Amino acid sequence: MIYDIKTYGNSCLREKAERVEKIDVEVLQILDNMVETMQKIKGVGLAAPQVGINKRMFVIDVGDNKIRKVINPEILELSDEIEINEEGCLSIPGVFKSVKRASRVKIKYLNEKGEEIIEEAEEFLARAFQHEYDHLEGVLFVDRLSPVAKRMVSKKLQLLKKEVERG
Ligand code: NI
């Protein structure tokens, strides 16, 4: 099943998502649907709040032949070293801006089998983990822009918001 993507202005993108208490059939089905949705629209990551599901889960496909299904992630370490690179978000179509992120991240999560995974990631994967994790906290990449860049995208964000309000 392909989900509709909730875009900027939807309140579901601003809530703190809830922990997954049990990896049951329903959770597995949601994860499968999220992967299907991400692949259909050629995204590299998709978090549950982006499809209106208030759970701490996301999926990532950065093209390393490994589709990650991430449940209840915790960021254990962020490097002091920073990298600046362009980001976009399926929930904010048409907006691409440079964002500062830690260049390396250590993250702990459960996979779809309920196994605890600890991963140390860098570069693009590190960025994807941080971006998707933010979604679970109700944070969007545009929140992390410099004041100047924020001003540059504010009009586009207003338009997206209006579309949501119109329904
Ligand atoms: Ni996003």
Side-chain angles (χ1 to χ4, degrees):
M1 177 193 156
I2 307 284
Y3 289 125
D4 285 334
I5 303 290
K6 306 290 184 186
T7 51
Y8 188 88
N10 269 293
S11 60
C12 63
L13 295 173
R14 291 309 196 177
E15 283 158 23
K16 192 176 153 83
E18 285 170 5
R19 281 180 64 82
V20 177
E21 295 303 336
K22 194 174 162 227
I23 304 174
D24 55 15
V25 180
E26 191 197 344
V27 162
L28 294 175
Q29 186 61 59
I30 292 169
L31 286 165
D32 281 345
N33 293 343
M34 284 170 62
V35 168
E36 205 184 331
T37 305
M38 172 177 68
Q39 287 173 333
K40 172 98 194 285
I41 48 189
K42 297 183 168 55
V44 295
L46 182 66
Q50 293 182 274
V51 295
I53 297 170
N54 187 37
K55 287 197 190 303
R56 299 185 81 77
M57 318 196 273
F58 57 74
V59 295
I60 283 184
D61 182 3
V62 292
D64 59 354
N65 290 320
K66 193 175 168 194
I67 293 170
R68 290 170 175 80
K69 295 175 180 171
V70 174
I71 302 164
N72 295 340
E74 278 172 58
I75 290 185
L76 302 177
E77 279 173 44
L78 289 171
S79 64
D80 292 330
E81 196 187 315
I82 296 291
E83 232 173 60
I84 300 175
N85 226 320
E86 193 167 82
E87 281 183 34
C89 180
L90 296 169
S91 294
I92 315 177
V95 175
F96 299 90
K97 281 284 168 202
S98 289
V99 185
K100 272 189 199 172
R101 298 276 187 194
S103 49
R104 291 181 308 281
V105 60
K106 190 172 175 185
I107 191 169
K108 180 172 96 171
Y109 60 89
L110 299 178
N111 68 11
E112 70 274 24
K113 292 174 196 146
E115 298 162 338
E116 186 177 285
I117 308 287
I118 293 178
E119 258 196 89
E120 287 186 66
E122 51 181 29
E123 295 174 356
F124 192 52
L125 179 59
R127 181 167 294 274
F129 274 135
Q130 291 169 77
H131 178 117
E132 299 311 326
Y133 183 85
D134 270 355
H135 275 299
L136 308 183
E137 296 292 308
V139 173
L140 300 171
F141 85 93
V142 289
D143 303 339
R144 298 191 175 276
L145 301 180
S146 68
V148 175
K150 259 186 198 158
R151 237 174 290 140
M152 287 168 70
V153 301
S154 69
K155 191 148 191 194
K156 227 162 188 177
L157 295 180
Q158 285 303 323
L159 288 173
L160 286 169
K161 214 172 174 174
K162 273 194 190 133
E163 263 176 56
V164 169
E165 283 161 7
R166 246 183 272 130

Coordinates of all heavy atoms in Angstrom, one line a residue, residues 76-118:
L76 N 23.3 7.8 20.0 CA 24.2 7.6 21.1 C 25.3 8.7 21.1 O 25.8 9.1 22.1 CB 24.8 6.2 21.1 CG 23.8 5.0 21.2 CD1 24.6 3.7 21.0 CD2 23.0 5.1 22.4
E77 N 25.8 9.0 19.9 CA 26.9 9.9 19.8 C 26.8 10.7 18.5 O 26.4 10.1 17.5 CB 28.2 9.2 19.7 CG 28.8 8.8 21.0 CD 30.0 7.9 20.9 OE1 30.9 8.2 20.0 OE2 30.1 6.8 21.5
L78 N 27.1 12.0 18.6 CA 27.2 12.8 17.4 C 28.6 13.4 17.4 O 29.1 13.8 18.4 CB 26.2 14.0 17.4 CG 24.7 13.7 17.2 CD1 23.9 14.9 17.5 CD2 24.4 13.2 15.8
S79 N 29.3 13.4 16.2 CA 30.6 13.9 16.2 C 30.6 15.4 16.3 O 29.6 16.1 16.0 CB 31.3 13.5 14.8 OG 30.6 14.2 13.8
D80 N 31.7 15.9 16.9 CA 31.8 17.4 16.9 C 32.1 18.0 15.5 O 31.7 19.1 15.2 CB 33.0 17.8 17.8 CG 32.8 17.5 19.3 OD1 31.6 17.5 19.7 OD2 33.7 17.2 20.0
E81 N 32.7 17.1 14.7 CA 32.9 17.6 13.3 C 31.6 17.7 12.6 O 30.7 16.9 12.7 CB 33.8 16.5 12.7 CG 34.5 16.9 11.4 CD 35.1 15.8 10.7 OE1 35.8 15.0 11.4 OE2 35.0 15.6 9.5
I82 N 31.5 18.8 11.9 CA 30.3 19.2 11.2 C 30.5 19.1 9.7 O 31.6 19.3 9.2 CB 29.9 20.7 11.6 CG1 29.6 20.8 13.1 CG2 28.8 21.2 10.7 CD1 28.4 20.1 13.5
E83 N 29.4 18.8 9.0 CA 29.4 18.8 7.6 C 28.2 19.6 7.1 O 27.1 19.5 7.6 CB 29.3 17.4 7.0 CG 30.3 16.9 6.0 CD 30.2 15.5 5.7 OE1 29.1 15.0 5.2 OE2 31.2 14.7 6.0
I84 N 28.4 20.3 6.0 CA 27.3 21.1 5.5 C 27.0 20.5 4.1 O 27.8 20.4 3.3 CB 27.7 22.6 5.3 CG1 28.0 23.2 6.7 CG2 26.5 23.4 4.7 CD1 28.5 24.6 6.7
N85 N 25.7 20.2 3.9 CA 25.3 19.6 2.6 C 23.8 19.9 2.4 O 23.1 20.2 3.3 CB 25.6 18.1 2.6 CG 26.2 17.7 1.3 OD1 25.9 18.2 0.3 ND2 27.2 16.8 1.5
E86 N 23.5 19.8 1.1 CA 22.1 20.1 0.8 C 21.1 19.0 1.2 O 21.4 17.8 1.1 CB 22.0 20.3 -0.7 CG 20.7 21.0 -1.2 CD 20.8 21.5 -2.6 OE1 20.5 20.6 -3.5 OE2 21.0 22.7 -2.8
E87 N 20.0 19.4 1.7 CA 18.9 18.5 2.0 C 17.6 18.9 1.5 O 17.4 20.0 1.2 CB 18.8 18.4 3.6 CG 19.8 17.6 4.2 CD 19.6 17.4 5.7 OE1 18.5 17.4 6.2 OE2 20.7 17.3 6.4
G88 N 16.8 17.9 1.3 CA 15.4 18.1 0.9 C 14.6 17.2 1.8 O 15.1 16.4 2.6
C89 N 13.3 17.2 1.6 CA 12.4 16.4 2.4 C 11.1 16.1 1.6 O 10.6 17.1 1.0 CB 12.1 17.1 3.7 SG 11.0 16.1 4.8
L90 N 10.6 14.9 1.6 CA 9.4 14.6 0.9 C 8.2 15.4 1.4 O 7.3 15.6 0.6 CB 9.1 13.1 1.0 CG 10.2 12.1 0.4 CD1 9.9 10.7 0.8 CD2 10.2 12.3 -1.1
S91 N 8.3 15.8 2.6 CA 7.2 16.6 3.2 C 7.3 18.1 2.8 O 6.4 18.9 3.2 CB 7.1 16.4 4.7 OG 6.8 15.1 5.0
I92 N 8.4 18.5 2.2 CA 8.6 19.9 1.9 C 9.1 20.0 0.4 O 10.2 20.3 0.1 CB 9.7 20.6 2.8 CG1 9.4 20.2 4.3 CG2 9.6 22.1 2.7 CD1 10.4 20.7 5.3
P93 N 8.2 19.6 -0.5 CA 8.6 19.5 -1.9 C 9.1 20.8 -2.4 O 8.5 21.9 -2.1 CB 7.3 19.1 -2.6 CG 6.2 19.3 -1.6 CD 6.8 19.3 -0.2
G94 N 10.1 20.7 -3.2 CA 10.6 21.9 -3.9 C 11.6 22.8 -3.1 O 12.1 23.8 -3.6
V95 N 11.9 22.4 -1.9 CA 12.8 23.1 -1.0 C 14.1 22.3 -0.8 O 14.0 21.2 -0.3 CB 12.1 23.5 0.3 CG1 13.2 24.2 1.2 CG2 10.9 24.4 0.1
F96 N 15.2 22.9 -1.2 CA 16.5 22.2 -1.0 C 17.4 23.2 -0.5 O 17.6 24.3 -1.1 CB 17.0 21.6 -2.3 CG 16.1 20.6 -2.9 CD1 15.1 20.9 -3.8 CD2 16.2 19.2 -2.5 CE1 14.2 20.0 -4.3 CE2 15.4 18.3 -3.1 CZ 14.4 18.7 -4.0
K97 N 18.0 23.0 0.7 CA 18.9 23.9 1.3 C 20.0 23.2 2.1 O 19.9 22.1 2.5 CB 18.1 24.8 2.3 CG 17.3 25.9 1.6 CD 18.2 27.1 1.2 CE 17.5 28.0 0.3 NZ 18.4 28.8 -0.5
S98 N 21.1 23.9 2.2 CA 22.2 23.4 3.0 C 21.9 23.3 4.5 O 21.4 24.3 5.0 CB 23.5 24.2 2.7 OG 23.9 24.0 1.4
V99 N 22.3 22.2 5.1 CA 22.0 22.0 6.5 C 23.3 21.5 7.2 O 24.0 20.7 6.6 CB 20.9 21.0 6.8 CG1 20.6 20.9 8.3 CG2 19.7 21.4 6.0
K100 N 23.6 22.1 8.3 CA 24.8 21.6 9.1 C 24.4 20.4 9.9 O 23.4 20.4 10.6 CB 25.1 22.7 10.2 CG 26.1 23.8 9.7 CD 26.5 24.6 11.0 CE 27.0 25.9 10.5 NZ 27.3 26.8 11.7
R101 N 25.2 19.4 9.8 CA 24.9 18.1 10.6 C 26.2 17.6 11.1 O 27.3 17.9 10.5 CB 24.3 17.0 9.7 CG 23.0 17.3 9.0 CD 21.8 17.0 10.0 NE 20.6 17.2 9.3 CZ 19.4 17.2 9.9 NH1 19.3 17.2 11.2 NH2 18.3 17.4 9.2
A102 N 26.2 16.8 12.1 CA 27.3 16.1 12.6 C 27.8 15.2 11.4 O 26.9 14.6 10.8 CB 27.0 15.3 13.8
S103 N 29.1 15.1 11.2 CA 29.5 14.2 10.1 C 29.5 12.8 10.4 O 29.4 11.9 9.5 CB 30.9 14.7 9.6 OG 31.8 14.8 10.7
R104 N 29.5 12.4 11.7 CA 29.4 11.0 12.1 C 28.3 10.8 13.2 O 28.2 11.7 14.0 CB 30.7 10.4 12.5 CG 31.8 10.3 11.4 CD 33.1 9.7 11.9 NE 33.6 10.4 13.1 CZ 34.2 11.6 13.0 NH1 34.4 12.2 11.9 NH2 34.6 12.2 14.1
V105 N 27.7 9.7 13.2 CA 26.7 9.4 14.2 C 26.8 8.0 14.6 O 27.1 7.1 13.8 CB 25.3 9.8 13.7 CG1 24.9 9.0 12.5 CG2 24.2 9.6 14.7
K106 N 26.5 7.8 15.9 CA 26.4 6.4 16.4 C 24.9 6.3 16.9 O 24.5 7.1 17.7 CB 27.3 6.2 17.6 CG 27.5 4.7 18.0 CD 28.6 4.6 19.1 CE 28.7 3.2 19.6 NZ 29.7 3.2 20.7
I107 N 24.3 5.3 16.4 CA 22.8 5.2 16.6 C 22.5 3.7 17.0 O 23.1 2.8 16.6 CB 22.1 5.6 15.3 CG1 20.6 5.7 15.6 CG2 22.3 4.6 14.2 CD1 19.8 6.4 14.5
K108 N 21.5 3.6 17.9 CA 21.0 2.3 18.3 C 19.6 2.2 18.0 O 18.8 3.2 18.2 CB 21.2 2.2 19.9 CG 20.8 0.9 20.5 CD 21.2 0.9 21.9 CE 20.0 1.3 22.8 NZ 20.3 1.1 24.3
Y109 N 19.1 1.1 17.5 CA 17.7 0.9 17.2 C 17.4 -0.6 17.1 O 18.3 -1.4 17.2 CB 17.4 1.6 15.8 CG 18.1 1.1 14.6 CD1 17.6 0.0 13.8 CD2 19.3 1.7 14.2 CE1 18.3 -0.4 12.7 CE2 20.0 1.3 13.1 CZ 19.5 0.2 12.3 OH 20.2 -0.2 11.2
L110 N 16.1 -0.9 17.0 CA 15.7 -2.2 16.7 C 15.4 -2.4 15.2 O 14.8 -1.4 14.7 CB 14.4 -2.5 17.5 CG 14.5 -2.4 19.1 CD1 13.1 -2.7 19.7 CD2 15.6 -3.4 19.6
N111 N 15.7 -3.5 14.7 CA 15.3 -3.7 13.3 C 14.0 -4.4 13.3 O 13.4 -4.7 14.4 CB 16.4 -4.5 12.5 CG 16.6 -5.9 13.0 OD1 15.8 -6.4 13.8 ND2 17.6 -6.6 12.6
E112 N 13.5 -4.8 12.1 CA 12.1 -5.4 12.1 C 12.0 -6.8 12.8 O 10.9 -7.2 13.0 CB 11.6 -5.4 10.6 CG 12.3 -6.4 9.7 CD 13.6 -5.9 9.1 OE1 14.3 -5.0 9.7 OE2 14.0 -6.5 8.1
K113 N 13.2 -7.4 13.0 CA 13.1 -8.7 13.8 C 13.2 -8.5 15.3 O 13.3 -9.4 16.0 CB 14.3 -9.5 13.3 CG 14.2 -10.0 11.9 CD 15.4 -10.8 11.4 CE 15.5 -10.9 9.9 NZ 16.9 -10.8 9.5
G114 N 13.3 -7.2 15.7 CA 13.4 -6.9 17.1 C 14.9 -7.0 17.6 O 15.1 -7.0 18.8
E115 N 15.8 -7.1 16.7 CA 17.2 -7.2 17.1 C 17.8 -5.8 17.3 O 17.5 -4.9 16.6 CB 18.0 -7.9 16.0 CG 17.6 -9.3 15.7 CD 18.1 -9.8 14.4 OE1 18.4 -9.0 13.4 OE2 18.2 -11.1 14.2
E116 N 18.6 -5.7 18.4 CA 19.2 -4.4 18.7 C 20.4 -4.2 17.7 O 21.3 -5.1 17.6 CB 19.7 -4.3 20.1 CG 20.2 -3.0 20.5 CD 20.5 -2.8 21.9 OE1 19.6 -2.8 22.8 OE2 21.7 -2.8 22.2
I117 N 20.4 -3.1 17.0 CA 21.5 -2.8 16.1 C 22.2 -1.5 16.6 O 21.5 -0.6 16.9 CB 20.9 -2.5 14.7 CG1 19.9 -3.6 14.2 CG2 22.0 -2.2 13.7 CD1 20.6 -4.9 13.8
I118 N 23.5 -1.6 16.6 CA 24.2 -0.3 16.8 C 25.1 -0.1 15.6 O 25.8 -0.9 15.1 CB 25.1 -0.5 18.1 CG1 24.2 -0.6 19.3 CG2 26.0 0.8 18.2 CD1 25.0 -0.7 20.6

